[in-house]
Amino acid sequence: MITIPYLTALTTYFSYGLLFAFGQLRDLFRRIIDRWNSSNLQGYAPICLGLEDFYIRRLYLRIQDCFGRPIASAPDAWFDVVERYSNDHNKTLKRTDKIRRCLNLGSYNYLGFAAADEYCTPRAIESLKKFSASTCSSRVDGGTTTLHAELDECVAKFVGKPAALVFGMGYVTNSAIIPVLIGKGGLILSDSLNHSSIVNGARGSGATIRVFQHNTPSHLEKVLREQIAEGQPRTHRPWKKIIVVVEGIYSMEGELCKLPEIVAVCKKYKAYVYLDEAHSIGAVGKTGRGVCELLGVDTADVDIMMGTFTKSFGSCGGYIAGSKQLIQYLKYTCPAHLYGTSISPPAAQQILSAIKVLLGEDGSSRGAQKLARIRENSNFFRSELQKMGFEVLGDNDSPVMPIMLYNPSKIPAFSRECLKQNVAVVVVGFPATPLLLSRARICISASHTREDLARALEVISQVGDLVGIKYFPAAPKKEHQEDKMVKLD
Amino acid sequence: MVALFLGSHALYNFDQRKRKPTPTHLAFVYSPLQNFQLELFLSPVFVIAYFSPVHRGLYNQRCYSSVTLFEDSVLHVNVEGADTEALYVCTPGKVPIMESVTDVLQAAIDWASLAFEAPFARADVFGVHIGGHLFVEGLLFVVIFYLLSQKSYKPPKRPLTDKEIDELCDEWTPEPLIPVLPEEMQCEPPQLESAAGPHTIISGKEVVNLASANYLGLLGHKKLLDSCTSSLEKYGVGSCGPRGFYGTIDVHLDCEARIAKFLGTPDSILYSYGLSTNFSAIPAFSKKGDIIVVDEGVHWGIQNGLHLSRSTIVYFKHNDMASLQRILEKITVEKKRAKEIRRYIVIEAVYQNSGQIAPLDEIIILKEKYRFRLLMDESNSFGVLGHSGRGLTEYYGVPIEKIDIVTAAMGHSLAAEGGFCTGSARVIDHQRLSSSGYVFSASLPPYLASAAISAIDVLEENPNLITKLKENVALLWAGLSGLHGLKIVSNPHSPIVFLKLKDSTGSLKSDLQLLEDIADQLLREHNVFVVVSKRSTLDKCPLPVGIRLFVSAGHSQADLEKVCESLNSVVPSVLNNRR
């Protein structure tokens, strides 16, 4: 849990209050002016209702330039950010031809496969020539090429499950599969910070949804016991089945899932485990096989393993891995498989090649080096940030590290100041995080060199001082204390 | 209290014929209390007495104008109309019938008066004389207060003990994650060994491919391949981030601008997957309480979007304008607040589930009459309908501004992947932060955006592709008009030629099996690759299944003749074998 300092909470609330008040004031004037001009709705209700886009109009648009910055190159360790300008106070942003070469601390390019790769790119282009860019058909119809079949098999082998199925988009994988697995009379126990695709999938399923405290196996157990004892609401019939949905690495927290404990709880209460490894597959574990490998969980204990290829593999799409029967069943029932265009062949080839590199099947040790590098880079960067006094969330080994900002004004300040010094960071505010807990998120890549990271740390430290987000005392004191304690011991 | 109760009882039994109070009745109105009016007012009995019909009747009949009770059981009743005021003096015990009752009453009164005469009952507190009745009333209030303060009765809660919960947890056996697979779920789709162009290779044999929605034959087009290749070299494969967080690559913006320019709309927005376009765009605009009127034949992507929006969904009969009008009329009349909620009509331009084309001109009239907004999915009409491929709006000559939200998948005629949504700037901008499939998903791989740009370029340069496609559709129609057992249900201009069984076997499953047999035999013996429209268990579309032929401009005349010939020979033989 994040404990926000009292004073910071107060100032954050005050800032939002101020923004809200001014927003309302401006809305008031707008309404008065609108009354002057005749309404052009002609009997339609407005397409965006008042408060529904208040946040966008009055808060988001002011700092729009910190989000959605276009880039003009591959999202590698360094990339070209296209500069934009605005003539109407950030309401619209126009692209310029000017480009700023920035250090990329924002993309999910964990293993550095995003840029052209000596092994993957030629093969992707080759498959493009052979299979073209699309199949124009769904997997069950004419969208299964030999490449797709090979990919399914390769992914199953890589994640350690008997069978797997690949889909064209990660988001759709979650939102189309959960409804197939569970329906009315079932219970989905979802971590409170699960990704929107899981939430959408769960909602689409018609099953009852209960939320347990983020990454808290004890609370999961409590909820499970309560729910099994109570049964379905109103009818009190026993649940048909219970699926517990967790993520491997929580993308906004950088935390690793407490998988061994959660799996133990689920086993005890006969609930099925659905593990979303969107950020963890490829990025953690000795051979890149995700949290199961990192935390020593037998993949046989995880009933449904889901993941995406957008992050570590530098491609697109998602997979689902499980028992042979499960996959066979999905092939006949899952709408994403039946109706969605199959994954683009070059993207499929990219995944295949990336997995081969990871496993060393390309005849080099690049994969192992990449995995070692990302681990080193992440742990180095995290410990350095912590030493500087930033409030950094997340666990060791996780390449995602959020730095807490809290105050809404610090969101654009941090982002713009970093960009001025050619470091591109991602800042996140409401609605992706709770209102009070705005943060900057650093994603470390294996393609970052030590010099890159040193430069990034220098810039972040400077900007951190400027913006005032070093909520903890800087580390030398701490180290000093520790030294003393060691001596005392 | 007892006295008053009895008193009211007596009044209740008042001789109605005489309509006058008699001493006999009033004799019961005995009270040691000093002020009858006050007591009446304060006691609940007054309520009973006052509201009891007879008593009220007395007032109404103006039998007496005032009832005053004096000390020592003297009741003063002022009867209007009588010559003089009657003064009734009565004492208990004089009524023979009620003698025993009054004895009890007397005992109670004695007890009560004993209580009043208790020393404290007549005390002065802060100069206020605490009379006996005040004491009783005080007591009464305490009792009432006590009763009110008590919670209403609830059975005592006995939560389950840990042991009991343990037992329940042990007892509970979940259903298996997936049901047992029936046998027909074991077969696999054929694997393509080359690109899914108009001709493809399956199990080493070249087959005519009617399974890919490659309407314009752009799959494998050199220009597309070149742009993809250079894009792959420059940007890599994936974008490694959602649009908000450095996943916006300049080609995405170029592609959005290109689509908007092609269609003549102010702006457009790219989605990374065709299927996610609808189920993200619909919930972004329609929330709980809003109304969506939708064709029952829409594909699953839209169905899912409708479900996720939690709006009120009303289905109209597939492509039936009379049904649509009825429903719009009904909603407008019934919903008094219809003006204040958002109302949408959702249609597909060319229905994937039937090949029908929506009558846009009529829909526009209805939409404007009833003031509904229109969301149209152009997945199968973009690049196909209209003389320059701008979709259904061009086909009907309707300006695109009339349609509020247009969505389309790019995995069909554009031979790329992903989807887009286009409309007014407000519609597009709103999606950029409110559409979950856009905000929370990695963006489209840049090479696919380049492919889409090139595809639109190619389309604009070669309008003859559309003419060729039209000719091919006509060719297939001509060749299949005499087909036994199957009926074309699609529109003659639709690039999807949809063949339905003339006589359904009665169940979806056996229909599917029959059609699968036809498709199998076509592929095995005639090298023609066609597909059956399959249904997910989640799909609620009520339309019949059938064989879906995706016609492409890349098919040659010989290809289509071969297809017709094969269908004409295979279908009757399979259907006959069946019988």
Side-chain angles (χ1 to χ4, degrees):
Chain A
M1 283 304 286
I2 309 160
T3 45
I4 172 164
Y6 183 71
L7 192 68
T8 317
L10 211 65
T11 52
T12 310
Y13 272 128
F14 177 74
S15 314
Y16 275 113
L18 206 65
L19 283 167
F20 186 79
F22 271 99
Q24 287 292 344
L25 201 68
R26 298 180 74 170
D27 268 11
L28 180 77
F29 283 116
R30 198 179 73 156
R31 268 199 296 277
I32 292 170
I33 294 167
D34 276 0
R35 196 166 294 167
W36 222 271
N37 308 334
S38 61
S39 144
N40 56 352
L41 285 171
Q42 297 162 348
Y44 294 94
I47 197 158
C48 311
L49 298 177
L51 276 177
E52 216 169 79
D53 67 344
F54 176 82
Y55 180 81
I56 300 177
R57 280 184 289 114
R58 299 298 178 212
L59 278 80
Y60 172 78
L61 281 187
R62 287 164 160 248
I63 57 168
Q64 207 193 162
D65 58 307
C66 300
F67 306 97
R69 288 183 186 137
I71 60 173
S73 69
D76 202 11
W78 288 81
F79 61 175
D80 301 330
V81 177
V82 179
E83 291 192 2
R84 293 182 293 180
Y85 71 96
S86 174
N87 290 333
D88 50 2
H89 302 285
N90 253 359
K91 246 184 215 160
T92 54
L93 291 166
K94 296 202 174 61
R95 271 192 291 167
T96 62
D97 293 334
K98 265 195 258 166
I99 274 167
R100 192 187 271 273
R101 188 88 181 145
C102 289
L103 180 65
N104 179 3
L105 294 179
S107 296
Y108 307 129
N109 175 24
Y110 300 132
L111 294 178
F113 281 115
D117 184 90
E118 55 188 272
Y119 183 81
C120 304
T121 313
R123 280 168 180 73
I125 293 174
E126 204 175 291
S127 74
L128 172 74
K129 286 187 178 128
K130 189 175 175 199
F131 290 108
S132 198
S134 172
T135 59
C136 296
S137 188
S138 66
R139 281 292 300 273
V140 282
D141 293 345
T144 304
T145 65
T146 43
L147 193 63
H148 291 94
E150 193 189 340
L151 180 61
D152 283 350
E153 226 165 87
C154 173
V155 170
K157 217 178 82 197
F158 180 69
V159 300
K161 276 289 200 186
L165 194 58
V166 174
F167 299 91
M169 183 192 185
Y171 190 99
V172 168
T173 312
N174 269 332
S175 57
I177 279 170
I178 298 175
V180 175
L181 296 176
I182 195 164
K184 216 164 171 252
L187 173 68
I188 296 174
L189 283 175
S190 171
D191 188 287
S192 59
L193 295 179
N194 271 347
H195 189 251
S196 144
S197 57
I198 296 173
V199 176
N200 251 358
R203 275 191 196 155
S205 70
T208 310
I209 306 162
R210 293 282 179 274
V211 173
F212 65 93
Q213 277 165 22
H214 170 60
N215 223 358
T216 317
S218 58
H219 188 243
L220 169 67
E221 180 166 9
K222 192 178 148 234
V223 177
L224 262 173
R225 287 174 66 91
E226 263 171 28
Q227 291 298 330
I228 294 176
E230 259 180 41
Q232 296 181 28
R234 292 177 59 230
T235 58
H236 297 288
R237 286 199 199 137
W239 295 105
K240 285 184 180 160
K241 52 188 151 191
I242 300 178
I243 296 184
V244 175
V245 191
V246 290
E247 285 186 43
I249 289 180
Y250 291 89
S251 63
M252 286 297 162
E253 317 293 312
E255 275 173 294
L256 291 166
C257 171
K258 287 181 185 154
L259 195 62
E261 293 90 339
I262 287 173
V263 164
V265 169
C266 291
K267 241 186 178 176
K268 188 174 166 197
Y269 294 98
K270 290 167 280 191
Y272 300 108
V273 186
Y274 185 109
L275 174 66
D276 177 347
E277 293 215 81
H279 285 263
S280 53
I281 191 75
V284 295
K286 198 162 161 273
T287 56
R289 287 185 162 88
V291 278
C292 284
E293 191 181 38
L294 182 72
L295 304 173
V297 176
D298 186 0
T299 51
D301 291 339
V302 181
D303 301 273
I304 310 131
M305 291 176 78
M306 180 270 169
T308 64
F309 301 119
T310 355
K311 281 97 191 181
S312 306
F313 301 95
S315 180
C316 67
Y319 67 84
I320 202 101
S323 67
K324 279 218 161 74
Q325 291 83 353
L326 170 74
I327 298 303
Q328 197 62 32
Y329 180 68
L330 288 179
K331 282 181 181 170
Y332 276 84
T333 49
C334 179
H337 190 73
L338 263 63
Y339 307 130
T341 317
S342 63
I343 183 169
S344 167
Q349 181 60 51
Q350 164 83 10
I351 302 162
L352 267 174
S353 314
I355 292 178
K356 277 187 183 149
V357 172
L358 275 189
L359 297 176
E361 286 174 17
D362 62 329
S364 76
S365 58
R366 286 203 309 133
Q369 281 168 10
K370 275 175 186 287
L371 284 163
R373 180 89 64 73
I374 180 148
R375 198 184 158 116
E376 272 168 33
N377 279 356
S378 319
N379 290 344
F380 165 74
F381 206 79
R382 181 183 298 278
S383 67
E384 287 299 311
L385 282 177
Q386 278 165 343
K387 274 184 210 159
M388 286 175 187
F390 289 105
E391 189 176 354
V392 185
L393 304 183
D395 297 315
N396 265 351
D397 284 356
S398 151
V400 185
M401 43 202 84
I403 302 173
M404 296 311 294
L405 299 175
Y406 299 119
N407 292 73
S409 51
K410 289 178 181 175
I411 302 173
F414 187 76
S415 176
R416 287 171 189 160
E417 287 302 323
C418 282
L419 191 72
K420 266 187 202 163
Q421 308 208 40
N422 293 343
V423 172
V425 291
V426 162
V427 283
V428 198
F430 183 81
T433 65
L435 199 62
L436 284 187
L437 306 178
S438 311
R439 59 198 72 173
R441 188 181 56 180
I442 310 286
C443 290
I444 293 300
S445 162
S447 59
H448 288 135
T449 61
R450 259 309 148 90
E451 294 81 63
D452 292 343
L453 295 182
R455 169 154 173 70
L457 284 168
E458 193 188 311
V459 170
I460 289 176
S461 173
Q462 268 179 33
V463 175
D465 284 331
L466 182 72
V467 178
I469 49 167
K470 292 186 176 170
Y471 291 101
F472 294 127
K477 280 182 201 162
K478 264 190 200 165
E479 267 182 354
H480 203 58
Q481 281 171 348
E482 275 170 14
D483 285 353
K484 264 187 195 168
M485 280 167 78
V486 172
K487 273 174 204 163
L488 282 173
D489 283 343
Chain B
M1 290 300 307
V2 178
L4 281 171
F5 174 71
L6 288 175
S8 79
H9 185 74
L11 285 172
Y12 192 81
N13 289 334
F14 181 72
D15 188 342
Q16 292 200 30
R17 273 170 306 168
K18 282 185 183 170
R19 293 175 193 276
K20 269 182 190 175
T22 63
T24 329
H25 290 101
L26 289 171
F28 292 101
V29 189
Y30 174 84
S31 168
L33 309 178
Q34 297 186 351
N35 193 327
F36 181 64
Q37 298 285 351
L38 181 71
E39 186 67 20
L40 271 182
F41 182 70
L42 284 175
S43 71
V45 174
F46 171 75
V47 180
I48 304 168
Y50 186 77
F51 288 105
S52 73
V54 176
H55 202 75
R56 221 170 38 239
L58 277 176
Y59 272 109
N60 292 344
Q61 300 281 333
R62 292 172 164 270
C63 284
Y64 56 85
S65 54
S66 68
V67 180
T68 329
L69 188 70
F70 295 111
E71 213 167 352
D72 292 324
S73 346
V74 179
L75 191 69
H76 189 168
V77 180
N78 193 356
V79 182
E80 213 172 81
D83 294 341
T84 53
E85 276 185 6
L87 193 69
Y88 298 96
V89 181
C90 44
T91 46
K94 285 195 175 169
V95 187
I97 320 155
M98 303 300 285
E99 213 158 343
S100 54
V101 181
T102 45
D103 280 351
V104 177
L105 182 68
Q106 187 62 53
I109 290 161
D110 285 351
W111 183 83
S113 40
L114 199 75
F116 302 143
E117 275 142 29
F120 60 87
R122 297 214 178 259
D124 276 348
V125 177
F126 298 122
V128 179
H129 179 68
I130 307 288
H133 66 99
L134 276 180
F135 175 71
V136 171
E137 279 149 15
L139 254 175
L140 210 70
F141 273 115
V142 169
V143 170
I144 290 170
F145 186 75
Y146 171 77
L147 287 173
L148 285 177
S149 69
Q150 293 299 299
K151 278 184 189 154
S152 60
Y153 175 75
K154 262 188 201 151
K157 253 195 183 169
R158 274 173 301 154
L160 294 170
T161 61
D162 278 354
K163 207 180 147 219
E164 281 169 318
I165 295 180
D166 280 340
E167 275 168 13
L168 281 169
C169 291
D170 281 342
E171 266 172 37
W172 182 66
T173 40
E175 277 180 9
L177 190 57
I178 45 158
V180 181
L181 293 178
E183 213 172 291
E184 73 263 13
M185 281 204 185
Q186 303 294 345
C187 56
E188 293 277 340
Q191 283 179 19
L192 277 62
E193 287 154 26
S194 75
H199 292 104
T200 184
I201 299 166
I202 294 176
S203 344
K205 288 188 295 184
E206 188 175 309
V207 299
V208 179
N209 181 11
L210 285 151
S212 294
N214 167 31
Y215 301 129
L216 299 173
L218 295 180
L219 203 119
H221 193 283
K222 185 158 180 311
K223 203 164 171 193
L224 266 76
L225 289 187
D226 287 348
S227 70
C228 283
T229 312
S230 57
S231 195
L232 276 173
E233 280 163 352
K234 186 175 176 197
Y235 301 108
V237 177
S239 59
C240 280
R243 285 292 293 269
F245 305 149
Y246 305 105
T248 305
I249 297 177
D250 48 5
V251 282
H252 289 136
L253 300 173
D254 295 340
C255 185
E256 284 171 356
R258 186 76 188 88
I259 291 166
K261 191 180 153 221
F262 179 68
L263 286 175
T265 48
D267 203 358
S268 67
I269 179 171
L270 277 188
Y271 282 88
S272 46
Y273 203 48
L275 204 60
S276 71
T277 313
N278 282 308
F279 76 61
S280 307
I282 295 174
F285 291 107
S286 188
K287 300 264 157 36
K288 205 168 184 175
D290 297 330
I291 293 185
I292 304 180
V293 179
V294 58
D295 190 290
E296 62 179 5
V298 291
H299 65 75
W300 180 82
I302 295 178
Q303 289 175 26
N304 194 25
L306 300 173
H307 183 85
L308 291 176
S309 74
R310 306 184 193 185
S311 312
T312 314
I313 312 293
V314 189
Y315 287 95
F316 66 91
K317 277 220 180 78
H318 183 51
N319 236 1
D320 182 346
M321 289 306 107
S323 162
L324 173 62
Q325 175 161 24
R326 256 199 318 279
I327 283 161
L328 296 183
E329 179 75 48
K330 203 172 147 211
I331 289 171
T332 317
V333 170
E334 271 180 14
K335 287 256 175 184
K336 287 192 184 103
R337 288 183 60 245
K339 283 253 147 60
E340 292 159 42
I341 51 178
R342 290 174 287 189
R343 311 172 298 281
Y344 297 90
I345 301 173
V346 175
I347 54 163
E348 271 179 78
V350 172
Y351 288 93
Q352 200 164 310
N353 285 331
S354 72
Q356 290 278 328
I357 292 180
L360 188 65
D361 44 353
E362 292 175 52
I363 291 172
I364 293 283
I365 293 169
L366 287 177
K367 158 205 143 67
E368 290 190 335
K369 181 175 172 199
Y370 295 101
R371 301 265 187 257
F372 274 63
R373 285 196 172 85
L374 184 61
L375 187 148
M376 181 162 78
D377 185 42
E378 290 236 48
S379 293
N380 293 299
S381 60
F382 179 75
V384 173
L385 293 182
H387 64 88
S388 63
R390 286 178 170 81
L392 196 66
T393 44
E394 193 183 33
Y395 180 79
Y396 277 106
V398 172
I400 194 147
E401 299 83 54
K402 298 249 181 198
I403 293 151
D404 302 271
I405 305 163
V406 175
T407 61
M410 305 198 296
H412 297 154
S413 56
L414 292 183
E417 237 162 72
F420 67 81
C421 174
T422 187
S424 69
R426 189 156 169 73
V427 163
I428 301 305
D429 285 344
H430 183 67
Q431 287 178 65
R432 295 201 193 270
L433 208 62
S434 308
S435 174
S436 63
Y438 178 85
V439 177
F440 295 106
S441 161
S443 58
L444 185 70
Y447 74 94
L448 290 169
S450 318
I453 297 175
S454 312
I456 294 176
D457 289 345
V458 172
L459 172 63
E460 247 180 358
E461 287 158 19
N462 305 295
N464 58 329
L465 284 175
I466 299 162
T467 344
K468 180 78 177 50
L469 175 64
K470 266 186 203 156
E471 284 166 18
N472 279 355
V473 174
L475 216 65
L476 206 61
W477 266 76
L480 295 178
S481 54
L483 189 61
H484 288 285
L486 292 180
K487 192 170 78 179
I488 306 182
V489 291
S490 57
N491 188 291
H493 291 137
S494 147
I496 301 174
V497 176
F498 200 92
L499 299 168
K500 194 187 83 166
L501 281 173
K502 267 183 190 150
D503 308 303
S504 165
T505 53
S507 84
L508 187 78
K509 209 170 120 189
S510 55
D511 275 3
L512 266 175
Q513 194 52 51
L514 197 58
L515 294 164
E516 288 282 4
D517 288 348
I518 295 173
D520 263 4
Q521 203 167 335
L522 277 169
L523 183 62
R524 260 186 297 116
E525 293 170 12
H526 297 265
N527 295 335
V528 173
F529 184 28
V530 300
V531 283
V532 176
S533 66
K534 296 175 185 71
R535 280 290 148 77
S536 158
T537 41
L538 301 178
D539 196 341
K540 293 186 188 71
C541 172
L543 303 179
V545 290
I547 289 180
R548 204 157 33 189
L549 308 175
F550 293 96
V551 187
S552 165
H555 289 131
S556 67
Q557 191 171 350
D559 290 340
L560 295 170
E561 274 163 8
K562 185 182 167 193
V563 170
C564 296
E565 202 179 294
S566 320
L567 268 165
N568 279 322
S569 75
V570 167
V571 174
S573 81
V574 171
L575 290 180
N576 286 339
N577 281 352
R578 174 88 179 185
R579 282 184 201 115

